[in-house]
Each structure stands twice: as structure tokens, then as C-alpha cells.
Amino acid sequence: MPDRKTLANAVRALSMDAIQKANSGHPGAPLGMADIAEVLFNDFLRHNPGNPEWPNRDRFVLSNGHGSMLLYVILHLTGYDLGIEDLKAFRQLNSRTPGHPEYRVTPGVESTSGPLGQGIACAVGMAVAEKVLAAQFNRPGLEIVDHHTYVFMGDGCMMEGLSHEACSLAGTLGLGKLIAFYDDNGISIDGCVEGWFADNTPQRFRAYGWHVVSGVDGHDPRQIKKAIREARSATDRPSLICCKTLIGKGAPNACGSEKCHGSPLGEAEIACARAHMDWPHAPFEVPQDVYQAWDACEAGRLAEDAWQDLFVRYTRKHPARAAEFTRRICGELPADFRNRAEAFVDAVNQKGASVASRKASQNAIEGLAHMLPELFGGSADLASSNLTRWTGSVPVFPEAWRGNYLNFGVREFAMAAMMNGMALHGGFIPYGGTFLVFSDYSRSALRMSALMGLRTIHVLTHDSIGVGEDGPTHQPVEHVASLRLIPNMHVWRPGDAVETAIAWQCALERASGPAALICSRQNLPHQPRTAKVLENIHRGGYVLRDCAGPPEVLLMATGSELGLAAEAAGILEALGCRVRVVSMPCLEVFDGQPQHYRSAVLPQGVPVVLAVEAGATAGWHKYVGSRGAVVGLDRFGESAPGEVLFDHFGLTAKRVAEMARQLLSDRKTPE
């Protein structure tokens, strides 16, 4: 049986080899954290390489994701479907071992990571999900949800402000099954961190309410094992294990320096490292007894079998609850959800209320959430403004976890990243609210959600200069256009209560990516629609109001400007113009429609095409063409009542009608 040093050196050797072959990568963390990983995976982590989706597995997140080869090597050694050829293809096109861990690319990777701090925040969300799901489903003697979340993090994660946000909340919530390992090697890309990171990290985390095990030798398996046992015994709060390590350990001439952080070691140094570690094997060669010692397939199968036996007993005693657990873990909506959601939309349409879309969003939650026990909400200390709470909202607290709502506090970034963790864990559809202007704070986590294809829903209210007196600091101008640039993000800016209800329905039904629901502070007039028009809202863009014969003027708008466009159409029609009004609540969904549908909504040859949106005009020109125009706002706002600002900046029906009439006149005037 190989000793622990040999098992850890297998990780070091394969990591060096793969990074060298790629001529790219970060060897420092894989070599420095190999001993910690060996103890965690071989003695504590409960997982099944044969079924990476086993619901009750422990979760492991590599927050310092640049050290991805550490994770890839361990997944390979423990028996996941990740062969030696995958390691050899590190960082190459279409490989399963990309430069940073990517969810749904590599079996066994629980979360995409790399942007520092996001991994630990995501793990906090996973731990919340475990805690809430356990409270909702576990019964005495039948604890079907019972697992830990482990995180590796380095100095970079500690320095990022996001780790402060997320870890502060984790301590407040008392997440006892969250255990983080701090790789305290004192080195970052620019060198020794003493000059720019002198925090007393153990005291900082104790102040958060964490259990801290400090002063652990990260290369001593006995100390590491003892620290993990101590952390697992502190069930009332999360734990931080501070491990003193040597970056690049095993490479005698490169270790302890930033030089081994982000560059291959080179053939000569690798040869020295092999001799130093007493690892005489050729590149990518691992002895069979080392493979056997690392292999976790049989232990994982037995652990899952034991859980399956438990779940069978649970099913016999609680059949309906067991079926509900399975449905939620699989991410499936209730079978009758669509029919009930459409009935709700019909009712909203029949009511015809003119309300702010933030209120319409709350009404949609009220109308849909009772069908979806997996819907878990929250707000970054703006619930009374975002209107993310509904009558069935039950906040979770350290003493009461059977709820469906979390007060995130003023932590926009942590909220979005934790929502990612909850979605990754399974069993929940998380939604969270803040002001649209503060989506800047959480943008990186929104991007990660889109990259991973997670069903998260972001309610972003107070969406324009309509915010009014709070002034330009709180008036989003470029934010909608900016969010639309994120691939796989569906940005809905509904124009009334009906579009808001459908935006919610579409966001809930879409399992392959996030949605941003952009909502107004001010009331929006109800737009009358036929049944056919109502059906087309799901297409992201549709003809709201049409004319007899080919249109001379086509007005398109979103959000609060939809009513403005409809009013402008009325002015133009009174002057004898043929006008079509197109609502574009979600450009991404519209762009995904068949060409024939898009051409029918936005036909070629319309003399005047005008887009109206109270924000940056970027992005609209592909619809209006070189001869069209966009009425928007490409500057910051002002402090004044909202209606005054719309008039001040020319976002009025009268101005839109005048512009359209002038453009039409110009088109008709012979050159």
C-alpha cells in the first residue's frame, strides 16, 4: 500500500506533466495543496465517481480555480470518467480539461470557478441549499439530505470583497456543514502578499462567527486529518481550516515563489522535482498500486447504495414527499405547471390592471409560487422596493430552516453567486432582487450563471430615469444594454402586467440559463390584446398593434416606453399614418425565433422604423437599420421627478410622433 506522501506526489507529478505538455497553466496550487486534497478525498469526501449526480454526495468547490489541474488529476485518480488522454489535452480546444473548471464539461466538477471569490460564495449557496432541503424533507431516522460542502481557497479569494460578503452571511446563518480550506502560502501573482494583504484571517473569520482551525501544517497529513475532524464536529457554524503551505512544493528550485504560480515549471525543473520527490516514473505514468489506493469507485458505490436503501424506506413511509424530492432534484416543473401558468396569465390579461411592473412581478410570484415549492427568493435588503416577498414567503434563520426566503442583506454580489450555488446544488429555483443600477455589483456572478446555464432569476427594479429624485447614481442608463451583451442571458423588460407574468413564466420554464427581469418603479398602462397576440408574447417580440395595409411607420419599444409608443401611434394615426407597434420584451428570445416569424414582425421596406427605450441606444440599430432611428438616453440622468425627466429628455409620445412624422416626410421628399 503506497504511503500518503506517494499518493500526494502522484497528484504533483501528473499536474506538472499536464501543465508542461500544455505549455500553460498554474502548477503552484496543485503542488502546494496536494497533501490537503489527498487527505480530504481519501478519508472524508463522500462521493461516487460512477454517478457524479448522486444527490447526497458531498460537494467540493475549487474556488482558486486556476489550480484546475489539481482537481482534474484527483478526478482521474479516484475513478471519474476522465482518462489520462483528457489530462494530456489540458487547455486544448474541445477538451474536457479546460483552463479553469467548467460545470457540465468535466464529470465531477460541481461549479465553474476561476474568478476569485466566486467559488466560496457559490459554496455558501450550496450549503444553504443543503440546509433548507434537509429541513424540508428529512424526517427522524430518514435523513435523505445529509452532506457537507468543502471548498479550497487561496489568498486571492480572501482578498476579493465577495468572500467578505458571502462568508459574513455564512457565519450569521451558522452553516455547520460548510468547511473551507485556506491555502495560506503567502504568494500571489505579483509576489509575496505581505505588502498588500496583512489581514489577520483567523480573527476575521472568528468575527464572522466561523469555527477556525489555525496553524495547520498543510503538508502534514496527521494535522490535516485532525483539523477536518475538528471542523466536522463544529456543527453549529461553518469552519475555516488555515493551512500553511509551500506553493509549488516538490519543485525544489521553483517552490515558494510567484514564479511557479502561473507558468509551467520547465523540463529541467520537472526532472529535479521527480528526483526530489523520489518519483522515478515517466510522464503521465502512475503505478497500478497508486491507482488502486486512490480508486473511490467501490466506496462510492457502497455509499450511494446505502443511501438508496434509506431512500427506499423513506419512499415507503412518505411516497408523495419522495416523489416531490425526486422531481425537484431533477429540476422538473410540476406536470400541470404550464396550464396553470397560462390560466394565471389569462386572468391578468382579463383584469387589465395598470400597475408598476415591479408590482406586477410581485403579483406573478404570488400567482405562480404556490405551484412551485422549489422557488426560493430573496433580496439584497430591498424587498420592500423590489417586491420580492409574497404572502407565502417564510424567511430562513439559523433556528428555522423550513422556509423559502433569505434576507441577503446589502450583498448584491454574494446574493447572485449564492443563487448560483443553490441552483447547482439542485432542488431549488432561486430568485433575488435588487435595483437594476446595482446589477453592476453582481454582474460577474450573472455572467457565471449564464456560462453555466443555470436557472436563476434576477428581479432588477427601478429600471430607468423613472426612478426620479434619487438622481443619476440610481438611474440605470447603460445597464439593460450591458446585460443583453451576456451570452445565454435572457433579459426581459416587460411593458405591462401581462408581459411581466409571461416573463416570469418563461424564466421559470427555461432550464438552460438565467433571466433578468427588468421592472419599473412607475405604473405602466395595460395594453389590450387578442388571444393570438397574447400567445406571441412568449416569442420575445410581437405585433401589439397593427394597421390596415403595409405600415408606413413601425414603432418598437420595451418596458415603460411601450405605452409611450402606443400613445405616439395614436397621434400618428390621427394624422392618417399607417402605424405598427411592436413590443420587444426580450430581444434574445425574439432573435431565436424562425426567420419567417421575425420577418413578419419586422418586415423589410417599412419607410420609418423607430425604436424607443429609456436607456442606451446601443443594440437597437440592428433592428432599425441604417435609415431608422432610436429614441433613448446615451447620457446620465438628473435628479427630478420621473415624469419631469421623461419630458426633459424628450422621451414623450409627442416627440416620438414628431420624429416619425419628420422621418416619413424626409423619405417621401424626392432627393
Side-chain angles (χ1 to χ4, degrees):
M1 177 71 177
D3 59 16
R4 288 191 178 276
K5 180 180 178 182
T6 301
L7 297 181
N9 284 342
V11 176
R12 294 185 171 99
L14 285 178
S15 296
M16 292 188 305
D17 294 341
I19 292 168
Q20 186 61 36
K21 188 174 189 305
N23 196 30
S24 174
H26 299 74
L31 272 64
M33 299 193 78
D35 298 299
I36 306 169
E38 188 278 319
V39 174
L40 175 63
F41 274 80
N42 285 326
D43 289 6
F44 293 97
L45 196 81
R46 187 172 56 172
H47 63 123
N48 182 8
N51 181 15
E53 302 300 319
W54 171 34
N56 203 42
R57 68 192 181 277
D58 288 338
R59 271 62 170 180
F60 173 79
V61 177
L62 185 71
S63 191
N64 46 343
H66 54 271
S68 57
M69 189 44 67
L70 171 69
L71 179 54
Y72 297 151
V73 168
I74 289 174
L75 293 173
H76 166 71
L77 291 173
T78 54
Y80 285 81
D81 179 22
L82 198 70
I84 200 72
E85 294 303 316
D86 290 309
L87 300 187
K88 291 179 180 179
F90 180 49
R91 288 184 165 229
Q92 304 309 301
L93 182 64
N94 296 325
S95 81
R96 298 201 296 167
T97 50
H100 290 79
E102 292 187 32
Y103 177 62
R104 288 182 174 147
V105 172
T106 312
V109 169
E110 298 283 3
S111 172
T112 300
S113 62
L116 296 177
Q118 289 213 47
I120 177 62
C122 185
V124 173
M126 291 178 177
V128 168
E130 190 276 339
K131 194 83 170 177
V132 176
L133 206 65
Q136 291 178 353
F137 284 97
N138 286 355
R139 293 297 178 265
L142 296 170
E143 288 77 20
I144 59 171
V145 182
D146 182 14
H147 54 264
H148 286 79
T149 301
Y150 296 98
V151 193
F152 279 6
M153 55 195 296
D155 288 305
C157 291
M158 288 295 187
M159 283 185 265
E160 285 288 354
L162 176 57
S163 69
H164 294 254
E165 290 185 32
C167 293
S168 167
L169 185 54
T172 299
L173 294 173
L175 299 173
K177 290 183 178 176
L178 173 64
I179 299 175
F181 296 81
Y182 168 33
D183 180 30
D184 183 12
N185 60 36
I187 298 293
S188 66
I189 292 176
D190 284 347
C192 182
V193 301
E194 287 181 353
W196 53 85
F197 182 53
D199 297 14
N200 188 321
T201 298
Q203 287 187 13
R204 167 186 155 192
F205 274 76
R206 289 188 181 106
Y208 290 154
W210 286 53
H211 170 75
V212 178
V213 186
S214 57
V216 176
D217 183 343
H219 303 301
D220 184 339
R222 290 173 297 180
Q223 288 192 35
I224 297 166
K225 189 170 185 177
K226 180 182 178 184
I228 297 174
R229 283 176 172 164
E230 181 181 332
R232 285 168 60 95
S233 69
T235 58
D236 62 335
R237 49 198 164 141
S239 291
L240 178 71
I241 301 175
C242 300
C243 298
K244 268 293 182 184
T245 64
L246 184 66
I247 188 172
K249 181 175 172 57
N253 302 305
C255 66
S257 165
E258 71 275 9
K259 294 177 182 178
C260 70
H261 169 85
S263 301
L265 295 174
E267 298 290 355
E269 181 64 10
I270 289 176
C272 289
R274 279 185 147 77
H276 181 75
M277 294 187 294
D278 192 22
W279 186 265
H281 313 290
F284 296 103
E285 181 181 306
V286 177
Q288 194 58 38
D289 62 339
V290 173
Y291 270 121
Q292 290 173 350
W294 268 103
D295 191 347
C297 292
E298 180 63 14
R301 183 186 65 80
L302 291 173
E304 182 174 355
D305 285 349
W307 181 84
Q308 291 288 358
D309 290 341
L310 176 68
F311 193 68
V312 167
R313 289 190 281 121
Y314 184 91
T315 302
R316 288 171 181 161
K317 194 164 185 179
H318 308 286
R321 194 172 296 276
E324 179 70 0
F325 176 82
T326 300
R327 179 189 71 77
R328 286 177 55 174
I329 287 295
C330 291
E332 298 174 355
L333 298 180
D336 61 346
F337 175 77
R338 174 162 294 184
N339 289 338
R340 295 173 68 185
E342 289 176 352
F344 170 74
V345 170
D346 286 339
V348 173
N349 190 46
Q350 291 296 322
K351 187 175 182 181
S354 296
V355 297
S357 51
R358 61 170 174 159
K359 180 60 180 176
S361 171
Q362 184 184 48
N363 293 341
I365 299 171
E366 190 76 46
L368 301 172
H370 64 91
M371 314 176 199
L372 300 170
E374 61 265 46
L375 194 61
F376 189 97
S379 177
D381 203 48
L382 286 169
S384 59
S385 294
N386 301 145
L387 304 183
T388 49
R389 280 194 295 249
W390 61 293
T391 57
S393 292
V394 179
V396 297
F397 295 101
E399 302 81 17
W401 283 95
R402 283 195 188 182
N404 58 6
Y405 194 91
L406 178 60
N407 294 296
F408 286 95
V410 188
R411 300 182 177 96
E412 294 88 358
F413 197 174
M415 176 178 68
M418 288 172 62
M419 287 166 59
N420 291 345
M422 295 193 72
L424 286 165
H425 179 278
F428 295 97
I429 300 174
Y431 71 93
T434 187
F435 288 168
L436 173 59
V437 76
F438 299 142
S439 64
D440 283 341
Y441 284 145
S442 54
R443 182 181 175 86
S444 185
L446 298 178
R447 182 178 186 271
M448 290 284 278
S449 183
L451 178 61
M452 289 188 275
L454 303 180
R455 180 162 43 188
T456 59
I457 302 173
H458 301 269
V459 181
L460 304 173
T461 69
H462 296 61
D463 69 338
S464 71
I465 53 173
V467 170
E469 293 87 346
D470 277 342
T473 61
H474 284 54
Q475 293 166 4
V477 174
E478 76 280 17
H479 297 73
V480 174
S482 175
L483 289 170
R484 287 176 179 147
L485 293 175
I486 301 176
N488 199 38
M489 173 72 74
H490 283 186
V491 180
W492 288 86
R493 188 167 184 251
D496 67 357
V498 177
E499 287 190 358
T500 306
I502 288 178
W504 261 102
Q505 180 189 348
C506 291
L508 290 165
E509 290 181 340
R510 182 181 185 232
S512 59
L517 308 185
I518 313 299
C519 299
S520 71
R521 177 192 185 192
Q522 69 273 28
N523 287 350
L524 306 181
H526 170 73
Q527 301 298 328
R529 299 172 178 86
T530 65
K532 182 60 178 177
V533 170
L534 189 68
E535 181 182 324
N536 284 335
I537 297 175
H538 296 82
R539 293 176 174 264
Y542 65 99
V543 178
L544 172 69
R545 174 172 171 169
D546 213 354
C547 56
E552 297 174 289
V553 175
L554 192 155
L555 302 178
M556 66 180 78
T558 75
S560 53
E561 290 68 68
L562 182 60
L564 183 156
E567 185 181 347
I571 297 173
L572 290 167
E573 287 165 351
L575 297 173
C577 293
R578 298 190 304 275
V579 184
R580 170 178 290 187
V581 177
V582 172
S583 178
M584 297 282 277
C586 186
L587 307 189
E588 299 78 24
V589 171
F590 178 76
D591 288 347
Q593 298 303 307
Q595 179 64 48
H596 67 83
Y597 177 79
R598 287 180 282 134
S599 296
V601 174
L602 303 177
Q604 296 292 318
V606 178
V608 172
V609 181
L610 200 60
V612 190
E613 186 171 63
T617 59
W620 282 106
H621 295 283
K622 69 177 181 179
Y623 301 108
V624 303
S626 60
R627 300 182 69 192
V630 184
V631 179
L633 195 66
D634 288 317
R635 53 149 292 179
F636 295 118
E638 299 284 353
S639 180
E643 62 274 13
V644 173
L645 292 176
F646 274 92
D647 184 68
H648 174 72
F649 288 113
L651 286 158
T652 65
K654 181 179 178 182
R655 183 192 176 215
V656 169
E658 287 177 351
M659 283 188 64
R661 189 168 59 82
Q662 184 60 55
L663 287 169
L664 186 60
S665 175
D666 292 344
R667 301 290 185 267
K668 291 180 177 179
T669 301
E671 296 182 0

